Amino acid sequence: QIDNPEQSGRASMAEDDYEQAVLYFSLAIDEENEQPTRSDAQKSDLYFMRGSSLFMLQKNEDAVEDFTRALDLKSKNDKDPQSRTARAQILNLRSQSFLEMEKFGSALRDIDLAIELAPHVAAYRRQRAINLYAMDKLDEALADLNIAIGTVSKDSFLYAFRGHVHEIGRAH
């Protein structure tokens, strides 16, 4: 019996021990299902943390399931900035999981929703550019990279990726 499996899961994530983190978060979820004590927001966090660990282990189908559960439990209050931010974070990681699974339409849909919820976050524009690049939509990818660079001008990846996309576009 672990006193606090959620805390142990977070500690395992901090140590990059994602296999152990999945076990701890699974235990916390099982305990919650047997004897509910958490709010929906807290349950959402458990699924998000386990999904994040699964994503790091490249278990993308399982990660998508957990991210979907996390979204279902998360508040849909669009007037609450914290709710919008949390949902955008979940959608971003689910988008990355879909991209790894080559489910490009689902990946793009999720990152579009994340940008709609948090348009100021350059990382989401960056992710959408990656998604668009994977779909061979180079002009749209360049547009997102330019917006991201305008927001975060010191991210060298954005410049390097923009140059790469531009070169690929010229070769087409």
Side-chain angles (χ1 to χ4, degrees):
Q1 179 73 17
I2 307 294
D3 286 339
N4 190 332
E6 179 181 359
Q7 189 175 26
S8 297
R10 289 177 186 272
S12 294
M13 283 185 80
E15 296 170 6
D16 297 335
D17 187 352
Y18 300 109
E19 293 276 355
Q20 194 64 44
V22 168
L23 294 174
Y24 284 128
F25 289 123
S26 295
L27 181 59
I29 289 166
D30 290 346
E31 286 179 1
E32 179 60 26
N33 289 336
E34 289 174 19
Q35 206 168 34
T37 60
R38 291 177 168 88
S39 69
D40 282 351
Q42 291 168 325
K43 286 186 258 189
S44 175
D45 290 344
L46 290 176
Y47 282 108
F48 176 70
M49 298 303 287
R50 186 173 71 178
S52 298
S53 298
L54 289 163
F55 173 76
M56 294 303 294
L57 295 168
Q58 298 179 328
K59 296 181 178 180
N60 292 299
E61 288 183 22
D62 293 333
V64 164
E65 283 184 32
D66 275 0
F67 293 141
T68 300
R69 287 185 186 131
L71 282 168
D72 289 345
L73 290 164
K74 191 59 72 181
S75 168
K76 309 268 187 301
N77 180 1
D78 282 343
K79 299 210 185 306
D80 175 24
Q82 283 185 314
S83 172
R84 292 173 66 90
T85 299
R87 287 179 34 231
Q89 289 172 336
I90 297 166
L91 286 162
N92 177 48
L93 279 181
R94 191 171 73 173
S95 174
Q96 291 179 47
S97 295
F98 279 134
L99 184 64
E100 290 294 321
M101 297 163 58
E102 298 185 5
K103 294 185 176 185
F104 301 118
S106 296
L108 189 58
R109 182 196 68 233
D110 275 3
I111 201 62
D112 283 346
L113 289 171
I115 290 169
E116 187 178 312
L117 290 167
H120 60 283
V121 179
Y124 301 158
R125 294 282 181 173
R126 171 184 168 162
Q127 185 59 42
R128 185 163 67 182
I130 292 168
N131 292 4
L132 291 165
Y133 174 79
M135 298 170 75
D136 203 32
K137 295 183 176 187
L138 303 181
D139 289 339
E140 293 175 58
L142 282 172
D144 269 331
L145 288 167
N146 288 332
I147 292 168
I149 287 170
T151 307
V152 183
S153 62
K154 294 184 181 182
D155 185 341
S156 61
F157 172 83
L158 293 173
Y159 289 99
F161 190 47
R162 182 174 68 176
H164 175 73
V165 172
H166 186 68
E167 286 298 315
I168 297 292
R170 286 199 333 208
H172 270 154

